[in-house]
PDB file of all heavy atoms in Angstrom:
ATOM      1  N   THR A   1     -16.190  -2.171 -80.813  1.00 98.00           N
ATOM      2  CA  THR A   1     -16.548  -3.574 -80.736  1.00 98.00           C
ATOM      3  C   THR A   1     -15.619  -4.355 -81.656  1.00 98.00           C
ATOM      4  O   THR A   1     -14.970  -3.795 -82.556  1.00 98.00           O
ATOM      5  CB  THR A   1     -18.004  -3.830 -81.152  1.00 98.00           C
ATOM      6  OG1 THR A   1     -18.140  -3.629 -82.566  1.00 98.00           O
ATOM      7  CG2 THR A   1     -18.956  -2.906 -80.409  1.00 98.00           C
ATOM      8  N   ILE A   2     -15.538  -5.651 -81.430  1.00 97.00           N
ATOM      9  CA  ILE A   2     -14.821  -6.557 -82.309  1.00 97.00           C
ATOM     10  C   ILE A   2     -15.421  -7.937 -82.111  1.00 97.00           C
ATOM     11  O   ILE A   2     -16.069  -8.211 -81.095  1.00 97.00           O
ATOM     12  CB  ILE A   2     -13.294  -6.551 -82.028  1.00 97.00           C
ATOM     13  CG1 ILE A   2     -12.532  -7.243 -83.178  1.00 97.00           C
ATOM     14  CG2 ILE A   2     -12.961  -7.174 -80.677  1.00 97.00           C
ATOM     15  CD1 ILE A   2     -11.026  -7.073 -83.109  1.00 97.00           C
ATOM     16  N   ASN A   3     -15.243  -8.811 -83.100  1.00 98.00           N
ATOM     17  CA  ASN A   3     -15.703 -10.196 -83.000  1.00 98.00           C
ATOM     18  C   ASN A   3     -17.223 -10.266 -82.890  1.00 98.00           C
ATOM     19  O   ASN A   3     -17.783 -11.053 -82.121  1.00 98.00           O
ATOM     20  CB  ASN A   3     -15.060 -10.895 -81.797  1.00 98.00           C
ATOM     21  CG  ASN A   3     -15.141 -12.414 -81.892  1.00 98.00           C
ATOM     22  OD1 ASN A   3     -14.802 -12.998 -82.896  1.00 98.00           O
ATOM     23  ND2 ASN A   3     -15.586 -13.046 -80.821  1.00 98.00           N
ATOM     24  N   ASN A   4     -17.913  -9.457 -83.687  1.00 98.00           N
ATOM     25  CA  ASN A   4     -19.368  -9.548 -83.735  1.00 98.00           C
ATOM     26  C   ASN A   4     -19.785 -10.919 -84.275  1.00 98.00           C
ATOM     27  O   ASN A   4     -19.289 -11.368 -85.317  1.00 98.00           O
ATOM     28  CB  ASN A   4     -19.925  -8.444 -84.631  1.00 98.00           C
ATOM     29  CG  ASN A   4     -19.848  -7.093 -83.974  1.00 98.00           C
ATOM     30  OD1 ASN A   4     -20.772  -6.684 -83.282  1.00 98.00           O
ATOM     31  ND2 ASN A   4     -18.736  -6.384 -84.171  1.00 98.00           N
ATOM     32  N   LEU A   5     -20.689 -11.587 -83.556  1.00 98.00           N
ATOM     33  CA  LEU A   5     -21.206 -12.898 -83.950  1.00 98.00           C
ATOM     34  C   LEU A   5     -22.713 -12.897 -83.744  1.00 98.00           C
ATOM     35  O   LEU A   5     -23.187 -12.699 -82.620  1.00 98.00           O
ATOM     36  CB  LEU A   5     -20.583 -14.016 -83.104  1.00 98.00           C
ATOM     37  CG  LEU A   5     -19.070 -14.230 -83.219  1.00 98.00           C
ATOM     38  CD1 LEU A   5     -18.619 -15.268 -82.199  1.00 98.00           C
ATOM     39  CD2 LEU A   5     -18.700 -14.678 -84.619  1.00 98.00           C
ATOM     40  N   ALA A   6     -23.460 -13.114 -84.802  1.00 98.00           N
ATOM     41  CA  ALA A   6     -24.917 -13.138 -84.712  1.00 98.00           C
ATOM     42  C   ALA A   6     -25.406 -14.570 -84.521  1.00 98.00           C
ATOM     43  O   ALA A   6     -24.901 -15.501 -85.153  1.00 98.00           O
ATOM     44  CB  ALA A   6     -25.538 -12.536 -85.965  1.00 98.00           C
ATOM     45  N   VAL A   7     -26.382 -14.742 -83.631  1.00 98.00           N
ATOM     46  CA  VAL A   7     -27.056 -16.027 -83.453  1.00 98.00           C
ATOM     47  C   VAL A   7     -28.555 -15.784 -83.491  1.00 98.00           C
ATOM     48  O   VAL A   7     -29.033 -14.666 -83.259  1.00 98.00           O
ATOM     49  CB  VAL A   7     -26.660 -16.707 -82.128  1.00 98.00           C
ATOM     50  CG1 VAL A   7     -25.180 -17.056 -82.118  1.00 98.00           C
ATOM     51  CG2 VAL A   7     -27.014 -15.841 -80.924  1.00 98.00           C
ATOM     52  N   VAL A   8     -29.301 -16.849 -83.788  1.00 98.00           N
ATOM     53  CA  VAL A   8     -30.759 -16.783 -83.788  1.00 98.00           C
ATOM     54  C   VAL A   8     -31.252 -17.680 -82.665  1.00 98.00           C
ATOM     55  O   VAL A   8     -30.959 -18.882 -82.635  1.00 98.00           O
ATOM     56  CB  VAL A   8     -31.340 -17.225 -85.135  1.00 98.00           C
ATOM     57  CG1 VAL A   8     -32.872 -17.132 -85.105  1.00 98.00           C
ATOM     58  CG2 VAL A   8     -30.777 -16.370 -86.265  1.00 98.00           C
ATOM     59  N   LEU A   9     -31.991 -17.099 -81.724  1.00 97.00           N
ATOM     60  CA  LEU A   9     -32.509 -17.849 -80.595  1.00 97.00           C
ATOM     61  C   LEU A   9     -33.746 -18.654 -81.002  1.00 97.00           C
ATOM     62  O   LEU A   9     -34.323 -18.456 -82.073  1.00 97.00           O
ATOM     63  CB  LEU A   9     -32.854 -16.898 -79.451  1.00 97.00           C
ATOM     64  CG  LEU A   9     -31.731 -15.960 -78.981  1.00 97.00           C
ATOM     65  CD1 LEU A   9     -32.187 -15.168 -77.753  1.00 97.00           C
ATOM     66  CD2 LEU A   9     -30.452 -16.727 -78.669  1.00 97.00           C
ATOM     67  N   ASN A  10     -34.159 -19.556 -80.130  1.00 95.00           N
ATOM     68  CA  ASN A  10     -35.312 -20.401 -80.446  1.00 95.00           C
ATOM     69  C   ASN A  10     -36.605 -19.614 -80.574  1.00 95.00           C
ATOM     70  O   ASN A  10     -37.543 -20.055 -81.237  1.00 95.00           O
ATOM     71  CB  ASN A  10     -35.464 -21.480 -79.374  1.00 95.00           C
ATOM     72  CG  ASN A  10     -34.400 -22.557 -79.481  1.00 95.00           C
ATOM     73  OD1 ASN A  10     -33.393 -22.368 -80.166  1.00 95.00           O
ATOM     74  ND2 ASN A  10     -34.598 -23.667 -78.795  1.00 95.00           N
ATOM     75  N   ASN A  11     -36.667 -18.428 -79.944  1.00 95.00           N
ATOM     76  CA  ASN A  11     -37.863 -17.600 -80.076  1.00 95.00           C
ATOM     77  C   ASN A  11     -37.830 -16.719 -81.322  1.00 95.00           C
ATOM     78  O   ASN A  11     -38.726 -15.904 -81.531  1.00 95.00           O
ATOM     79  CB  ASN A  11     -38.063 -16.739 -78.831  1.00 95.00           C
ATOM     80  CG  ASN A  11     -36.937 -15.723 -78.621  1.00 95.00           C
ATOM     81  OD1 ASN A  11     -36.023 -15.609 -79.438  1.00 95.00           O
ATOM     82  ND2 ASN A  11     -37.002 -14.984 -77.522  1.00 95.00           N
ATOM     83  N   GLY A  12     -36.778 -16.874 -82.139  1.00 96.00           N
ATOM     84  CA  GLY A  12     -36.666 -16.114 -83.383  1.00 96.00           C
ATOM     85  C   GLY A  12     -35.856 -14.841 -83.280  1.00 96.00           C
ATOM     86  O   GLY A  12     -35.533 -14.227 -84.310  1.00 96.00           O
ATOM     87  N   ASP A  13     -35.525 -14.404 -82.066  1.00 97.00           N
ATOM     88  CA  ASP A  13     -34.723 -13.182 -81.918  1.00 97.00           C
ATOM     89  C   ASP A  13     -33.354 -13.353 -82.564  1.00 97.00           C
ATOM     90  O   ASP A  13     -32.714 -14.408 -82.425  1.00 97.00           O
ATOM     91  CB  ASP A  13     -34.530 -12.845 -80.444  1.00 97.00           C
ATOM     92  CG  ASP A  13     -35.780 -12.297 -79.787  1.00 97.00           C
ATOM     93  OD1 ASP A  13     -36.792 -12.136 -80.485  1.00 97.00           O
ATOM     94  OD2 ASP A  13     -35.745 -12.060 -78.566  1.00 97.00           O
ATOM     95  N   VAL A  14     -32.901 -12.316 -83.241  1.00 98.00           N
ATOM     96  CA  VAL A  14     -31.535 -12.252 -83.769  1.00 98.00           C
ATOM     97  C   VAL A  14     -30.712 -11.460 -82.761  1.00 98.00           C
ATOM     98  O   VAL A  14     -31.028 -10.308 -82.456  1.00 98.00           O
ATOM     99  CB  VAL A  14     -31.494 -11.573 -85.149  1.00 98.00           C
ATOM    100  CG1 VAL A  14     -30.060 -11.493 -85.666  1.00 98.00           C
ATOM    101  CG2 VAL A  14     -32.379 -12.330 -86.138  1.00 98.00           C
ATOM    102  N   VAL A  15     -29.652 -12.083 -82.243  1.00 98.00           N
ATOM    103  CA  VAL A  15     -28.825 -11.446 -81.221  1.00 98.00           C
ATOM    104  C   VAL A  15     -27.400 -11.362 -81.739  1.00 98.00           C
ATOM    105  O   VAL A  15     -26.811 -12.380 -82.116  1.00 98.00           O
ATOM    106  CB  VAL A  15     -28.868 -12.222 -79.887  1.00 98.00           C
ATOM    107  CG1 VAL A  15     -28.036 -11.502 -78.835  1.00 98.00           C
ATOM    108  CG2 VAL A  15     -30.299 -12.391 -79.417  1.00 98.00           C
ATOM    109  N   ASP A  16     -26.861 -10.148 -81.769  1.00 98.00           N
ATOM    110  CA  ASP A  16     -25.466  -9.941 -82.153  1.00 98.00           C
ATOM    111  C   ASP A  16     -24.635  -9.772 -80.887  1.00 98.00           C
ATOM    112  O   ASP A  16     -24.799  -8.798 -80.157  1.00 98.00           O
ATOM    113  CB  ASP A  16     -25.312  -8.716 -83.047  1.00 98.00           C
ATOM    114  CG  ASP A  16     -23.849  -8.437 -83.343  1.00 98.00           C
ATOM    115  OD1 ASP A  16     -23.151  -9.376 -83.767  1.00 98.00           O
ATOM    116  OD2 ASP A  16     -23.395  -7.296 -83.125  1.00 98.00           O
ATOM    117  N   PHE A  17     -23.740 -10.732 -80.650  1.00 98.00           N
ATOM    118  CA  PHE A  17     -22.789 -10.644 -79.543  1.00 98.00           C
ATOM    119  C   PHE A  17     -21.500  -9.995 -80.039  1.00 98.00           C
ATOM    120  O   PHE A  17     -21.130 -10.137 -81.210  1.00 98.00           O
ATOM    121  CB  PHE A  17     -22.483 -12.032 -78.980  1.00 98.00           C
ATOM    122  CG  PHE A  17     -23.609 -12.623 -78.184  1.00 98.00           C
ATOM    123  CD1 PHE A  17     -24.595 -13.383 -78.806  1.00 98.00           C
ATOM    124  CD2 PHE A  17     -23.682 -12.435 -76.810  1.00 98.00           C
ATOM    125  CE1 PHE A  17     -25.626 -13.935 -78.074  1.00 98.00           C
ATOM    126  CE2 PHE A  17     -24.716 -12.983 -76.064  1.00 98.00           C
ATOM    127  CZ  PHE A  17     -25.696 -13.734 -76.697  1.00 98.00           C
ATOM    128  N   PHE A  18     -20.787  -9.321 -79.154  1.00 98.00           N
ATOM    129  CA  PHE A  18     -19.537  -8.667 -79.529  1.00 98.00           C
ATOM    130  C   PHE A  18     -18.666  -8.462 -78.296  1.00 98.00           C
ATOM    131  O   PHE A  18     -19.160  -8.381 -77.164  1.00 98.00           O
ATOM    132  CB  PHE A  18     -19.797  -7.303 -80.199  1.00 98.00           C
ATOM    133  CG  PHE A  18     -20.793  -6.454 -79.476  1.00 98.00           C
ATOM    134  CD1 PHE A  18     -20.463  -5.737 -78.328  1.00 98.00           C
ATOM    135  CD2 PHE A  18     -22.111  -6.367 -79.933  1.00 98.00           C
ATOM    136  CE1 PHE A  18     -21.391  -4.959 -77.664  1.00 98.00           C
ATOM    137  CE2 PHE A  18     -23.056  -5.603 -79.269  1.00 98.00           C
ATOM    138  CZ  PHE A  18     -22.698  -4.886 -78.131  1.00 98.00           C
ATOM    139  N   THR A  19     -17.363  -8.409 -78.529  1.00 98.00           N
ATOM    140  CA  THR A  19     -16.451  -7.888 -77.516  1.00 98.00           C
ATOM    141  C   THR A  19     -16.496  -6.373 -77.591  1.00 98.00           C
ATOM    142  O   THR A  19     -16.412  -5.790 -78.675  1.00 98.00           O
ATOM    143  CB  THR A  19     -15.012  -8.359 -77.754  1.00 98.00           C
ATOM    144  OG1 THR A  19     -14.971  -9.791 -77.716  1.00 98.00           O
ATOM    145  CG2 THR A  19     -14.076  -7.810 -76.691  1.00 98.00           C
ATOM    146  N   GLU A  20     -16.631  -5.736 -76.432  1.00 97.00           N
ATOM    147  CA  GLU A  20     -16.655  -4.279 -76.362  1.00 97.00           C
ATOM    148  C   GLU A  20     -15.455  -3.809 -75.545  1.00 97.00           C
ATOM    149  O   GLU A  20     -15.307  -4.196 -74.381  1.00 97.00           O
ATOM    150  CB  GLU A  20     -17.960  -3.808 -75.723  1.00 97.00           C
ATOM    151  CG  GLU A  20     -18.195  -2.314 -75.828  1.00 97.00           C
ATOM    152  CD  GLU A  20     -19.602  -1.940 -75.391  1.00 97.00           C
ATOM    153  OE1 GLU A  20     -20.035  -2.384 -74.324  1.00 97.00           O
ATOM    154  OE2 GLU A  20     -20.272  -1.207 -76.144  1.00 97.00           O
ATOM    155  N   ILE A  21     -14.593  -3.025 -76.178  1.00 95.00           N
ATOM    156  CA  ILE A  21     -13.430  -2.447 -75.504  1.00 95.00           C
ATOM    157  C   ILE A  21     -13.745  -0.982 -75.247  1.00 95.00           C
ATOM    158  O   ILE A  21     -13.861  -0.191 -76.186  1.00 95.00           O
ATOM    159  CB  ILE A  21     -12.159  -2.594 -76.360  1.00 95.00           C
ATOM    160  CG1 ILE A  21     -11.922  -4.065 -76.718  1.00 95.00           C
ATOM    161  CG2 ILE A  21     -10.947  -2.034 -75.623  1.00 95.00           C
ATOM    162  CD1 ILE A  21     -10.788  -4.283 -77.693  1.00 95.00           C
ATOM    163  N   LEU A  22     -13.923  -0.627 -73.980  1.00 92.00           N
ATOM    164  CA  LEU A  22     -14.348   0.715 -73.619  1.00 92.00           C
ATOM    165  C   LEU A  22     -13.170   1.668 -73.494  1.00 92.00           C
ATOM    166  O   LEU A  22     -12.007   1.255 -73.451  1.00 92.00           O
ATOM    167  CB  LEU A  22     -15.125   0.673 -72.308  1.00 92.00           C
ATOM    168  CG  LEU A  22     -16.384  -0.210 -72.322  1.00 92.00           C
ATOM    169  CD1 LEU A  22     -17.058  -0.191 -70.968  1.00 92.00           C
ATOM    170  CD2 LEU A  22     -17.336   0.229 -73.419  1.00 92.00           C
ATOM    171  N   HIS A  23     -13.467   2.959 -73.430  1.00 89.00           N
ATOM    172  CA  HIS A  23     -12.424   3.975 -73.407  1.00 89.00           C
ATOM    173  C   HIS A  23     -11.571   3.904 -72.142  1.00 89.00           C
ATOM    174  O   HIS A  23     -10.463   4.438 -72.100  1.00 89.00           O
ATOM    175  CB  HIS A  23     -13.044   5.369 -73.539  1.00 89.00           C
ATOM    176  CG  HIS A  23     -13.818   5.804 -72.334  1.00 89.00           C
ATOM    177  ND1 HIS A  23     -15.134   5.472 -72.145  1.00 89.00           N
ATOM    178  CD2 HIS A  23     -13.447   6.523 -71.255  1.00 89.00           C
ATOM    179  CE1 HIS A  23     -15.546   5.976 -70.996  1.00 89.00           C
ATOM    180  NE2 HIS A  23     -14.551   6.622 -70.437  1.00 89.00           N
ATOM    181  N   ASN A  24     -12.078   3.235 -71.091  1.00 87.00           N
ATOM    182  CA  ASN A  24     -11.312   3.116 -69.846  1.00 87.00           C
ATOM    183  C   ASN A  24     -10.554   1.800 -69.749  1.00 87.00           C
ATOM    184  O   ASN A  24      -9.995   1.471 -68.700  1.00 87.00           O
ATOM    185  CB  ASN A  24     -12.238   3.265 -68.643  1.00 87.00           C
ATOM    186  CG  ASN A  24     -13.351   2.231 -68.631  1.00 87.00           C
ATOM    187  OD1 ASN A  24     -13.375   1.310 -69.438  1.00 87.00           O
ATOM    188  ND2 ASN A  24     -14.288   2.386 -67.702  1.00 87.00           N
ATOM    189  N   GLY A  25     -10.530   1.014 -70.829  1.00 85.00           N
ATOM    190  CA  GLY A  25      -9.813  -0.242 -70.851  1.00 85.00           C
ATOM    191  C   GLY A  25     -10.627  -1.435 -70.413  1.00 85.00           C
ATOM    192  O   GLY A  25     -10.166  -2.572 -70.519  1.00 85.00           O
ATOM    193  N   LYS A  26     -11.844  -1.217 -69.939  1.00 92.00           N
ATOM    194  CA  LYS A  26     -12.687  -2.335 -69.546  1.00 92.00           C
ATOM    195  C   LYS A  26     -13.125  -3.113 -70.781  1.00 92.00           C
ATOM    196  O   LYS A  26     -13.444  -2.529 -71.821  1.00 92.00           O
ATOM    197  CB  LYS A  26     -13.916  -1.822 -68.792  1.00 92.00           C
ATOM    198  CG  LYS A  26     -14.775  -2.917 -68.187  1.00 92.00           C
ATOM    199  CD  LYS A  26     -15.900  -2.326 -67.348  1.00 92.00           C
ATOM    200  CE  LYS A  26     -16.726  -3.425 -66.676  1.00 92.00           C
ATOM    201  NZ  LYS A  26     -17.803  -2.857 -65.820  1.00 92.00           N
ATOM    202  N   THR A  27     -13.123  -4.436 -70.664  1.00 96.00           N
ATOM    203  CA  THR A  27     -13.467  -5.294 -71.794  1.00 96.00           C
ATOM    204  C   THR A  27     -14.570  -6.252 -71.374  1.00 96.00           C
ATOM    205  O   THR A  27     -14.484  -6.867 -70.307  1.00 96.00           O
ATOM    206  CB  THR A  27     -12.234  -6.082 -72.266  1.00 96.00           C
ATOM    207  OG1 THR A  27     -11.170  -5.166 -72.526  1.00 96.00           O
ATOM    208  CG2 THR A  27     -12.523  -6.839 -73.544  1.00 96.00           C
ATOM    209  N   ARG A  28     -15.593  -6.378 -72.208  1.00 98.00           N
ATOM    210  CA  ARG A  28     -16.732  -7.213 -71.848  1.00 98.00           C
ATOM    211  C   ARG A  28     -17.385  -7.774 -73.101  1.00 98.00           C
ATOM    212  O   ARG A  28     -17.157  -7.287 -74.218  1.00 98.00           O
ATOM    213  CB  ARG A  28     -17.743  -6.403 -71.047  1.00 98.00           C
ATOM    214  CG  ARG A  28     -18.319  -5.199 -71.798  1.00 98.00           C
ATOM    215  CD  ARG A  28     -18.992  -4.221 -70.854  1.00 98.00           C
ATOM    216  NE  ARG A  28     -19.697  -3.157 -71.558  1.00 98.00           N
ATOM    217  CZ  ARG A  28     -20.227  -2.090 -70.961  1.00 98.00           C
ATOM    218  NH1 ARG A  28     -20.138  -1.957 -69.645  1.00 98.00           N
ATOM    219  NH2 ARG A  28     -20.867  -1.170 -71.663  1.00 98.00           N
ATOM    220  N   ILE A  29     -18.190  -8.809 -72.901  1.00 98.00           N
ATOM    221  CA  ILE A  29     -18.998  -9.361 -73.984  1.00 98.00           C
ATOM    222  C   ILE A  29     -20.404  -8.780 -73.843  1.00 98.00           C
ATOM    223  O   ILE A  29     -21.066  -8.953 -72.813  1.00 98.00           O
ATOM    224  CB  ILE A  29     -19.041 -10.895 -73.934  1.00 98.00           C
ATOM    225  CG1 ILE A  29     -17.634 -11.472 -74.061  1.00 98.00           C
ATOM    226  CG2 ILE A  29     -19.933 -11.433 -75.065  1.00 98.00           C
ATOM    227  CD1 ILE A  29     -17.565 -12.977 -73.882  1.00 98.00           C
ATOM    228  N   GLY A  30     -20.823  -8.052 -74.857  1.00 98.00           N
ATOM    229  CA  GLY A  30     -22.144  -7.455 -74.873  1.00 98.00           C
ATOM    230  C   GLY A  30     -22.963  -7.977 -76.032  1.00 98.00           C
ATOM    231  O   GLY A  30     -22.500  -8.806 -76.828  1.00 98.00           O
ATOM    232  N   TYR A  31     -24.190  -7.466 -76.150  1.00 98.00           N
ATOM    233  CA  TYR A  31     -25.040  -7.901 -77.253  1.00 98.00           C
ATOM    234  C   TYR A  31     -26.159  -6.892 -77.485  1.00 98.00           C
ATOM    235  O   TYR A  31     -26.524  -6.121 -76.591  1.00 98.00           O
ATOM    236  CB  TYR A  31     -25.627  -9.287 -76.992  1.00 98.00           C
ATOM    237  CG  TYR A  31     -26.504  -9.394 -75.767  1.00 98.00           C
ATOM    238  CD1 TYR A  31     -27.883  -9.251 -75.858  1.00 98.00           C
ATOM    239  CD2 TYR A  31     -25.957  -9.648 -74.513  1.00 98.00           C
ATOM    240  CE1 TYR A  31     -28.704  -9.347 -74.742  1.00 98.00           C
ATOM    241  CE2 TYR A  31     -26.760  -9.752 -73.387  1.00 98.00           C
ATOM    242  CZ  TYR A  31     -28.130  -9.597 -73.502  1.00 98.00           C
ATOM    243  OH  TYR A  31     -28.931  -9.682 -72.388  1.00 98.00           O
ATOM    244  N   VAL A  32     -26.674  -6.914 -78.705  1.00 98.00           N
ATOM    245  CA  VAL A  32     -27.896  -6.201 -79.055  1.00 98.00           C
ATOM    246  C   VAL A  32     -28.866  -7.202 -79.657  1.00 98.00           C
ATOM    247  O   VAL A  32     -28.458  -8.195 -80.269  1.00 98.00           O
ATOM    248  CB  VAL A  32     -27.636  -5.035 -80.027  1.00 98.00           C
ATOM    249  CG1 VAL A  32     -26.871  -3.908 -79.338  1.00 98.00           C
ATOM    250  CG2 VAL A  32     -26.893  -5.503 -81.282  1.00 98.00           C
ATOM    251  N   ARG A  33     -30.153  -6.932 -79.481  1.00 98.00           N
ATOM    252  CA  ARG A  33     -31.176  -7.912 -79.833  1.00 98.00           C
ATOM    253  C   ARG A  33     -32.182  -7.313 -80.815  1.00 98.00           C
ATOM    254  O   ARG A  33     -32.576  -6.148 -80.703  1.00 98.00           O
ATOM    255  CB  ARG A  33     -31.909  -8.356 -78.576  1.00 98.00           C
ATOM    256  CG  ARG A  33     -32.962  -9.432 -78.775  1.00 98.00           C
ATOM    257  CD  ARG A  33     -33.794  -9.609 -77.508  1.00 98.00           C
ATOM    258  NE  ARG A  33     -32.976  -9.866 -76.341  1.00 98.00           N
ATOM    259  CZ  ARG A  33     -32.640 -11.075 -75.902  1.00 98.00           C
ATOM    260  NH1 ARG A  33     -33.063 -12.141 -76.560  1.00 98.00           N
ATOM    261  NH2 ARG A  33     -31.898 -11.219 -74.810  1.00 98.00           N
ATOM    262  N   SER A  34     -32.597  -8.138 -81.776  1.00 98.00           N
ATOM    263  CA  SER A  34     -33.659  -7.767 -82.707  1.00 98.00           C
ATOM    264  C   SER A  34     -34.775  -8.788 -82.618  1.00 98.00           C
ATOM    265  O   SER A  34     -34.531  -9.996 -82.674  1.00 98.00           O
ATOM    266  CB  SER A  34     -33.130  -7.711 -84.148  1.00 98.00           C
ATOM    267  OG  SER A  34     -34.199  -7.527 -85.071  1.00 98.00           O
ATOM    268  N   SER A  35     -36.014  -8.305 -82.489  1.00 98.00           N
ATOM    269  CA  SER A  35     -37.177  -9.194 -82.467  1.00 98.00           C
ATOM    270  C   SER A  35     -37.924  -9.184 -83.789  1.00 98.00           C
ATOM    271  O   SER A  35     -39.026  -9.763 -83.877  1.00 98.00           O
ATOM    272  CB  SER A  35     -38.117  -8.793 -81.323  1.00 98.00           C
ATOM    273  OG  SER A  35     -37.467  -8.924 -80.069  1.00 98.00           O
ATOM    274  N   ASP A  36     -37.335  -8.547 -84.811  1.00 98.00           N
ATOM    275  CA  ASP A  36     -37.991  -8.477 -86.120  1.00 98.00           C
ATOM    276  C   ASP A  36     -37.030  -8.844 -87.243  1.00 98.00           C
ATOM    277  O   ASP A  36     -36.988  -8.206 -88.286  1.00 98.00           O
ATOM    278  CB  ASP A  36     -38.603  -7.090 -86.338  1.00 98.00           C
ATOM    279  CG  ASP A  36     -37.618  -5.949 -86.095  1.00 98.00           C
ATOM    280  OD1 ASP A  36     -36.394  -6.222 -86.050  1.00 98.00           O
ATOM    281  OD2 ASP A  36     -38.058  -4.803 -85.937  1.00 98.00           O
ATOM    282  N   LYS A  37     -36.215  -9.889 -86.992  1.00 98.00           N
ATOM    283  CA  LYS A  37     -35.300 -10.438 -87.990  1.00 98.00           C
ATOM    284  C   LYS A  37     -34.299  -9.418 -88.528  1.00 98.00           C
ATOM    285  O   LYS A  37     -33.924  -9.443 -89.688  1.00 98.00           O
ATOM    286  CB  LYS A  37     -36.077 -11.067 -89.151  1.00 98.00           C
ATOM    287  CG  LYS A  37     -36.820 -12.343 -88.771  1.00 98.00           C
ATOM    288  CD  LYS A  37     -37.450 -13.000 -89.974  1.00 98.00           C
ATOM    289  CE  LYS A  37     -38.108 -14.322 -89.627  1.00 98.00           C
ATOM    290  NZ  LYS A  37     -37.142 -15.371 -89.253  1.00 98.00           N
ATOM    291  N   GLY A  38     -33.872  -8.498 -87.662  1.00 98.00           N
ATOM    292  CA  GLY A  38     -32.826  -7.564 -88.044  1.00 98.00           C
ATOM    293  C   GLY A  38     -33.319  -6.248 -88.599  1.00 98.00           C
ATOM    294  O   GLY A  38     -32.502  -5.412 -88.995  1.00 98.00           O
ATOM    295  N   GLU A  39     -34.614  -6.026 -88.614  1.00 98.00           N
ATOM    296  CA  GLU A  39     -35.130  -4.737 -89.070  1.00 98.00           C
ATOM    297  C   GLU A  39     -34.715  -3.626 -88.109  1.00 98.00           C
ATOM    298  O   GLU A  39     -34.273  -2.557 -88.525  1.00 98.00           O
ATOM    299  CB  GLU A  39     -36.661  -4.804 -89.179  1.00 98.00           C
ATOM    300  CG  GLU A  39     -37.316  -3.517 -89.644  1.00 98.00           C
ATOM    301  CD  GLU A  39     -37.027  -3.187 -91.094  1.00 98.00           C
ATOM    302  OE1 GLU A  39     -36.752  -4.123 -91.873  1.00 98.00           O
ATOM    303  OE2 GLU A  39     -37.077  -1.989 -91.448  1.00 98.00           O
ATOM    304  N   THR A  40     -34.835  -3.900 -86.813  1.00 98.00           N
ATOM    305  CA  THR A  40     -34.405  -2.946 -85.788  1.00 98.00           C
ATOM    306  C   THR A  40     -33.710  -3.707 -84.664  1.00 98.00           C
ATOM    307  O   THR A  40     -33.953  -4.901 -84.452  1.00 98.00           O
ATOM    308  CB  THR A  40     -35.605  -2.178 -85.201  1.00 98.00           C
ATOM    309  OG1 THR A  40     -36.525  -3.113 -84.617  1.00 98.00           O
ATOM    310  CG2 THR A  40     -36.307  -1.365 -86.275  1.00 98.00           C
ATOM    311  N   PHE A  41     -32.859  -2.997 -83.923  1.00 98.00           N
ATOM    312  CA  PHE A  41     -32.159  -3.581 -82.777  1.00 98.00           C
ATOM    313  C   PHE A  41     -32.363  -2.691 -81.558  1.00 98.00           C
ATOM    314  O   PHE A  41     -32.429  -1.463 -81.667  1.00 98.00           O
ATOM    315  CB  PHE A  41     -30.661  -3.715 -83.056  1.00 98.00           C
ATOM    316  CG  PHE A  41     -30.315  -4.886 -83.933  1.00 98.00           C
ATOM    317  CD1 PHE A  41     -30.373  -4.772 -85.313  1.00 98.00           C
ATOM    318  CD2 PHE A  41     -29.937  -6.095 -83.374  1.00 98.00           C
ATOM    319  CE1 PHE A  41     -30.051  -5.849 -86.129  1.00 98.00           C
ATOM    320  CE2 PHE A  41     -29.620  -7.174 -84.172  1.00 98.00           C
ATOM    321  CZ  PHE A  41     -29.679  -7.056 -85.566  1.00 98.00           C
ATOM    322  N   GLY A  42     -32.433  -3.323 -80.402  1.00 98.00           N
ATOM    323  CA  GLY A  42     -32.585  -2.594 -79.164  1.00 98.00           C
ATOM    324  C   GLY A  42     -31.243  -2.138 -78.603  1.00 98.00           C
ATOM    325  O   GLY A  42     -30.195  -2.289 -79.226  1.00 98.00           O
ATOM    326  N   PRO A  43     -31.253  -1.569 -77.387  1.00 98.00           N
ATOM    327  CA  PRO A  43     -30.019  -1.065 -76.777  1.00 98.00           C
ATOM    328  C   PRO A  43     -29.092  -2.202 -76.377  1.00 98.00           C
ATOM    329  O   PRO A  43     -29.511  -3.345 -76.182  1.00 98.00           O
ATOM    330  CB  PRO A  43     -30.532  -0.303 -75.548  1.00 98.00           C
ATOM    331  CG  PRO A  43     -31.843  -0.948 -75.225  1.00 98.00           C
ATOM    332  CD  PRO A  43     -32.441  -1.350 -76.542  1.00 98.00           C
ATOM    333  N   ALA A  44     -27.824  -1.861 -76.210  1.00 98.00           N
ATOM    334  CA  ALA A  44     -26.819  -2.861 -75.855  1.00 98.00           C
ATOM    335  C   ALA A  44     -27.004  -3.331 -74.421  1.00 98.00           C
ATOM    336  O   ALA A  44     -27.370  -2.548 -73.529  1.00 98.00           O
ATOM    337  CB  ALA A  44     -25.421  -2.289 -76.044  1.00 98.00           C
ATOM    338  N   GLN A  45     -26.751  -4.614 -74.201  1.00 98.00           N
ATOM    339  CA  GLN A  45     -26.770  -5.228 -72.880  1.00 98.00           C
ATOM    340  C   GLN A  45     -25.405  -5.885 -72.642  1.00 98.00           C
ATOM    341  O   GLN A  45     -24.667  -6.173 -73.584  1.00 98.00           O
ATOM    342  CB  GLN A  45     -27.873  -6.286 -72.793  1.00 98.00           C
ATOM    343  CG  GLN A  45     -29.250  -5.779 -73.175  1.00 98.00           C
ATOM    344  CD  GLN A  45     -29.817  -4.808 -72.161  1.00 98.00           C
ATOM    345  OE1 GLN A  45     -29.622  -4.974 -70.960  1.00 98.00           O
ATOM    346  NE2 GLN A  45     -30.510  -3.784 -72.638  1.00 98.00           N
TER     347      GLN A  45
END
């Protein structure tokens, strides 16, 4: 990943967005989400 940027949504979720460069050269903007102010994060989307 590169260019991780965290934002806080209106519902309080903390979402970290990032550029993801995969092993096959595919590049995408992904994110992981926390519903407990960063205590835990869910799987990448």
Side-chain angles (χ1 to χ4, degrees):
T1 70
I2 194 170
N3 198 50
N4 287 270
L5 297 174
V7 296
V8 180
L9 306 185
N10 287 15
N11 64 3
D13 287 358
V14 179
V15 182
D16 175 51
F17 287 89
F18 46 78
T19 300
E20 190 170 49
I21 304 173
L22 301 179
H23 70 274
N24 58 7
K26 187 175 183 178
T27 306
R28 61 196 187 189
I29 300 174
Y31 61 94
V32 291
R33 183 190 306 268
S34 172
S35 298
D36 52 16
K37 291 186 176 292
E39 180 69 26
T40 59
F41 282 85
Q45 306 290 323

